[in-house]
Amino acid sequence: MPTMTEKIIQKHLTEGNLERGKKIALTIDQTLTQDATGTMAYLQLEAMGVDQVKTELSVSYVDHNTLQSGFENADDHKYLQTVAAKHGIYFSRAGNGICHQVHLERFAKPGKTLLGSDSHTPTAGGIGALAMGAGGLDVACAMAGRPFYLTMPKIVKVELTGRLNKGVSSKDIILKLLSTLSVKGGVGKVIEYCGEGVKTLSVPQRATITNMGAELGATTSIFPSDEITEAFLRKQQRSEDFVPLCADDDAVYDESYTIDLSTLEPMIAMPHSPDNVVSISEVEGKPIDQCSIGSCTNSSYMDMMSVAAILKGKVANERVSLTISPGSKQVLNMIAQNGALADMIASGARILESTCGPCIGMGQSPITNAWSLRTFNRNFYGRSGTLSANVCLVSPEVAAASAVSGVISDPRKVDYELPQEPQEFIIDDRCIIKPCAAKASEVEVIRGPNIKELPMNQRLSDTIEKPVLLKVEDNITTDHIMPAGAKVLPYRSNIEKISQFVFRDVCADFAQRCHDNNGGIIVAGSNYGQGSSREHAALAPMYLGIKAVIAKSFARIHHANLINFGILPLQFVNEADYDAVEEGDVLRFSNLSMLKPNEPITVDNLTKGTTICLSHSLSELDITTLSYGGTLNLIKAEQNKQN
Ligand code: MIC
Ligand code: SF4
């Protein structure tokens, strides 16, 4: 009676059992990294002294930091290419496509575990893989053959019935779910899709849904592997990778929901959260300034074909800047060959390279006070690079229809020809460099001057006495903590430099405060650290001397990243204590060497003369890791013992 998740976990389990909420460890079959998190991950792999990766497959993608306005990003790419060749890792060159789109096309396999240093790794759940995002250090550990630790998630069933109407897309399915469950609704859970409606969705449509499961905070999301999956793999010339996967009929779930696809309408997530969803009819007619189509959520061949069909013979409205980034070289090649790209170009669309681009603020920041419609997955405050912009998330059909009219538009009212599924995909893997074990020893790893040494934390002291340097509200994202964008991303391999940007748009003098107080404590509301997997949101605060984060609750990946870098993640037991604590209060943590799993701790607020009760969800291993000042210190200590 197992679910799909339980079947895959059972096969990969190295510690623990399927009891919900308990720690488990899994073997990882495949890993992926991208260039914004990859440099750190490979520096960590090198620090572990690993020669060749131990996974079945590891791929390093270049897709985020592709704007080369200085030498930094190009140097990182060279490092990534050479370090991949040295350690047995496939290397997908800049221009070959967005990691999740290319991985879905060329590598992801049903029934396998995939760990990626990017929060949208669950995209591969669309093909039936158990695909999870993690910090770069966890991915480096997986490449080194170490298991991946996580909390056994609850399993949620989402039954899809009916069929989508023309103009309604799989993006609207996940936006609907986000409106029901919120950005916290998936924390600690895997979302499994089933039902007759699943059969009406192609693998890339399924992948749009599992991709944005990350916005629910879910550990991952997964679809069955069925005849649709088999056909997709066959068209990708990967028939041998097909294995069937579905939940047993009597599988038991922790929660369940039903969505009737035939009743859905186009939806839109309003600023500044992916769960701030309304139906398009509520905002139809609002003038817009920008439409950006692409990202790992919506850049598949069929997405591009729908966009081209809507744009055909028309021109983008004069007030709208329209950008299109096809998700991969495969997609770009196909639309170039069948003429769809010509329709896009004729419409005045600005065709961008097959990368993340505007999604991560790598260019195309909209005008002041803009209304920008994007087919992406995140519209967090400031992420576009224009703080005053109003970014909304929509389907490709809504974006294309609105680009033409210049106002938010319902694609159901537009006359366009529905595209046909391709008979086959163009297969050309020449931009993916295969590692050659025989030549690995001859490879010289090239490091540019911006690639600095990894900073290490110190061991945890028994007593910490530090001020609260910042108090923030609920749902703080990693974009708040460690902003991205074209100006900051080039410093992803230079922690000293990037740490100056921590909390830039929330508290401009945060780095200075840390410096003046020789570090301190952060206090936060619920779901702290939601969003990306970027470990820089833990590593850079660690570098600034942050010792602990006390929150109402944490997002999964960020919680793990804090532990990896030796920052204590603690939780308020009483809401009133969150309300009472203020910036500047000095807190004293005592007896930290006595920290035990499941045992609450007390902390003295020396300024207020009060005592605060805190809980945590740290395992024995987490506590040991923290005591060493992080995972790398612990691994090094283990290695020293063995030698
Ligand atoms: C994102 O969408 O926020 C990113 C950029 O892809 C991140 C990774 C990063 O910050 O490098 C993610 O989703 O994990
Ligand atoms: Fe790239 Fe955007 Fe996808 Fe992150 S969400 S991987 S930045 S396309």
Side-chain angles (χ1 to χ4, degrees):
M1 40 179 248
T3 62
M4 292 184 279
T5 310
E6 288 168 323
K7 286 183 187 181
I8 301 180
I9 289 183
Q10 191 68 61
K11 271 203 183 140
H12 292 83
L13 207 57
T14 58
E15 273 175 50
N17 56 42
L18 299 180
E19 197 183 330
R20 312 294 197 255
K22 292 275 161 32
K23 295 281 168 173
I24 56 170
L26 300 179
T27 52
I28 295 298
D29 301 320
Q30 300 188 340
T31 63
L32 70 77
T33 58
Q34 38 86 343
D35 48 334
T37 53
T39 40
M40 264 309 136
Y42 297 113
L43 287 171
Q44 287 153 349
L45 185 73
E46 288 187 294
M48 286 176 212
V50 175
D51 183 19
Q52 293 285 294
V53 291
K54 308 282 189 291
T55 44
E56 290 175 13
L57 172 94
S58 289
V59 191
S60 170
Y61 293 92
V62 175
D63 55 359
H64 281 63
N65 289 355
T66 54
L67 207 64
Q68 290 157 223
S69 51
F71 61 89
E72 293 87 352
N73 292 343
D75 278 2
D76 278 0
H77 301 165
K78 182 54 94 184
Y79 167 71
L80 290 169
Q81 181 165 355
T82 51
V83 84
K86 183 113 202 137
H87 296 285
I89 298 152
Y90 284 69
F91 179 72
S92 171
R93 294 164 61 184
N96 192 52
I98 305 175
C99 55
H100 308 304
Q101 176 66 25
V102 178
H103 208 80
L104 189 74
E105 292 166 359
R106 306 305 306 140
F107 295 114
K109 296 183 187 178
K112 294 288 182 184
T113 52
L114 165 68
L115 196 69
S117 62
D118 191 283
S119 62
H120 291 103
T121 305
T123 310
I127 213 167
L130 192 76
M132 293 162 289
L137 184 47
D138 281 328
V139 176
C141 286
M143 287 189 275
R146 301 172 78 93
F148 175 59
Y149 292 89
L150 77 159
T151 303
M152 177 64 205
K154 289 186 176 164
I155 303 170
V156 178
K157 169 165 119 176
V158 176
E159 185 175 356
L160 304 180
T161 62
R163 173 182 283 276
L164 293 171
N165 291 311
K166 185 177 173 190
V168 187
S169 92
S170 60
K171 179 68 157 278
D172 301 310
I173 304 176
I174 188 65
L175 288 177
K176 174 77 187 167
L177 203 59
L178 271 155
S179 75
T180 311
L181 296 180
S182 89
V183 290
K184 297 190 260 204
V187 177
K189 300 172 190 171
V190 174
I191 319 286
E192 280 199 9
Y193 291 86
C194 66
E196 280 310 302
V198 164
K199 301 257 178 284
T200 67
L201 300 173
S202 67
V203 167
Q205 283 179 305
R206 297 172 183 185
T208 293
I209 297 169
T210 57
N211 171 281
M212 270 192 96
E215 277 51 65
L216 294 165
T219 303
T220 190
S221 306
I222 188 165
F223 271 82
S225 171
D226 55 11
E227 61 280 10
I228 308 255
T229 322
E230 191 173 15
F232 176 79
L233 284 166
R234 191 180 61 247
K235 291 179 193 176
Q236 291 285 354
Q237 295 178 18
R238 299 204 285 131
S239 287
E240 66 285 2
D241 291 342
F242 175 72
V243 289
L245 175 74
C246 64
D248 285 1
D249 288 342
D250 54 354
V252 181
Y253 292 90
D254 297 287
E255 279 170 47
S256 53
Y257 301 88
T258 304
I259 300 178
D260 180 355
L261 305 186
S262 58
T263 62
L264 285 184
E265 46 184 349
M267 316 286 275
I268 176 167
M270 301 299 282
H272 295 284
S273 183
D275 61 358
N276 191 12
V277 175
V278 298
S279 75
I280 210 79
S281 53
E282 288 181 49
V283 286
E284 216 178 333
K286 184 168 188 49
I288 55 161
D289 306 285
Q290 185 186 49
C291 269
S292 288
I293 298 174
S295 92
C296 56
T297 317
N298 276 128
S299 60
S300 67
Y301 171 76
M302 287 298 278
D303 284 338
M304 292 296 129
M305 291 304 291
S306 300
V307 168
I310 293 171
L311 295 178
K312 195 176 169 73
K314 311 197 180 86
V315 167
N317 185 280
E318 63 187 35
R319 58 172 293 146
V320 179
S321 166
L322 169 63
T323 72
I324 303 179
S325 326
S328 68
K329 187 161 133 314
Q330 180 181 79
V331 172
L332 185 54
N333 248 334
M334 288 174 67
I335 60 172
Q337 288 193 15
N338 70 13
L341 182 60
D343 293 331
M344 292 174 172
I345 294 171
S347 77
R350 301 163 68 181
I351 309 297
L352 306 180
E353 53 180 351
S354 295
T355 60
C356 303
C359 179
I360 189 58
M362 269 284 159
Q364 308 304 330
S365 297
I367 63 164
T368 304
N369 299 326
W371 279 87
S372 171
L373 298 195
R374 299 175 162 216
T375 67
F376 309 164
N377 46 37
R378 293 187 170 144
N379 56 346
F380 299 147
Y381 174 69
R383 189 174 157 101
S384 69
T386 302
L387 287 182
S388 64
N390 298 288
V391 176
C392 305
L393 307 175
V394 294
S395 69
E397 289 83 351
V398 169
S402 308
V404 172
S405 62
V407 296
I408 297 178
S409 300
D410 185 337
R412 291 175 302 180
K413 297 181 184 164
V414 175
D415 185 24
Y416 69 101
E417 211 173 302
L418 270 183
Q420 296 296 311
E421 286 284 342
Q423 287 310 307
E424 54 186 14
F425 293 100
I426 295 176
I427 310 300
D428 177 0
D429 289 334
R430 285 175 298 168
C431 286
I432 301 174
I433 303 174
K434 218 175 159 175
C436 169
K439 292 199 185 136
S441 60
E442 295 158 27
V443 176
E444 186 202 346
V445 178
I446 300 173
R447 278 162 242 274
N450 185 50
I451 302 179
K452 302 289 185 210
E453 231 172 82
L454 269 177
M456 304 288 269
N457 203 348
Q458 287 149 0
R459 291 185 75 115
L460 184 69
S461 349
D462 188 53
T463 305
I464 295 173
E465 200 174 297
K466 287 283 171 202
V468 173
L469 296 180
L470 184 69
K471 181 176 174 183
V472 286
E473 69 273 25
D474 290 351
N475 292 325
I476 288 294
T477 71
T478 51
D479 279 270
H480 289 107
I481 306 170
M482 185 73 262
K487 294 193 186 95
V488 185
L489 282 166
Y491 302 118
R492 282 288 180 96
S493 27
N494 183 343
I495 301 303
E496 183 186 350
K497 198 83 182 243
I498 209 169
S499 65
Q500 298 308 307
F501 296 92
V502 173
F503 280 118
R504 179 193 60 191
D505 302 328
V506 176
C507 164
D509 67 342
F510 182 77
Q512 191 59 43
R513 284 188 196 181
C514 291
H515 184 259
D516 295 346
N517 292 281
N518 196 14
I521 314 294
I522 294 169
V523 166
S526 57
N527 203 23
Y528 180 73
Q530 68 154 328
S532 84
S533 69
R534 66 189 71 147
E535 62 191 357
H536 299 74
L539 184 49
M542 178 278 271
Y543 183 83
L544 293 173
I546 295 301
K547 300 293 175 205
V549 179
I550 311 176
K552 289 186 194 169
S553 68
F554 290 91
R556 173 185 67 89
I557 305 178
H558 189 61
H559 185 265
N561 285 339
L562 289 172
I563 298 166
N564 276 346
F565 294 102
I567 299 179
L568 273 169
L570 300 166
Q571 274 155 258
F572 288 102
V573 174
N574 304 308
E575 291 256 341
D577 288 332
Y578 167 83
D579 297 337
V581 70
E582 287 178 288
E583 282 179 13
D585 286 2
V586 176
L587 307 185
R588 182 165 62 206
F589 303 75
S590 318
N591 300 324
L592 287 172
S593 52
M594 308 293 283
L595 207 59
K596 298 252 166 0
N598 307 317
E599 277 186 20
I601 66 166
T602 54
V603 169
D604 297 315
N605 183 333
L606 301 182
T607 310
K608 298 243 158 43
T610 54
T611 301
I612 307 171
C613 183
L614 301 176
S615 67
H616 62 80
S617 56
L618 301 169
S619 66
E620 202 71 67
L621 176 64
D622 295 336
I623 292 170
T624 312
T625 307
L626 285 164
S627 73
Y628 276 86
T631 300
L632 267 185
N633 288 343
L634 176 64
I635 292 176
K636 289 211 158 146
E638 277 173 19
Q639 286 172 342
N640 287 342
K641 254 191 233 157
Q642 282 161 13
N643 295 336

